Amino acid sequence: MPIKDSIATGVTHFFQATGFTIEGLKSTYRSEIAFKQEVLLLPVILLVAWLLFGFPSALLLTSMWLIVCAFELCNSAIENIADLVMPEKNEFIKRAKDAGSAAVGVAIAANICTWLYVIFV
């Protein structure tokens, strides 16, 4: 395969992946209340972090909130797949959904700990 073809494929893949990312963000924002709340809280997080703290701390606090959003996206993906595969109640599906929810909870706890550290240390 010529080099030019593999570069074009790489660029095409990049733009396709970007489109999938945007669609995933939009559809999750439309369908998941928790993700919508986290996204709507993002400007407040950014404003407080970047106005009150220096660059390293603001970057850390922003990143921590983006991690919460990333876990929420993963949790939504797990729930959607689980509901498609097994719409009726199932203990394994419940465990998968609970684990996804717990991942979001742990990310939020880490976020709170990081904010407390930045504020008080």
Side-chain angles (χ1 to χ4, degrees), residues 21-34:
T21 299
I22 292 167
E23 285 304 311
L25 290 168
K26 286 177 6 183
S27 68
T28 305
Y29 183 84
R30 285 191 300 264
S31 65
E32 296 291 333
I33 293 168

Side-chain angles (χ1 to χ4, degrees), residues 49-50 52-64 114 117-118:
W50 290 94
L52 298 182
F53 304 106
F55 179 80
S57 294
L59 187 61
L60 176 63
L61 295 171
T62 302
S63 298
M64 288 300 295
T114 304
Y117 177 81
V118 168

Side-chain angles (χ1 to χ4, degrees), residues 75-89:
N75 183 43
S76 296
I78 290 167
E79 289 180 353
N80 286 325
I81 293 292
D83 289 343
L84 178 67
V85 171
M86 182 84 52
E88 60 276 354
K89 289 192 175 201

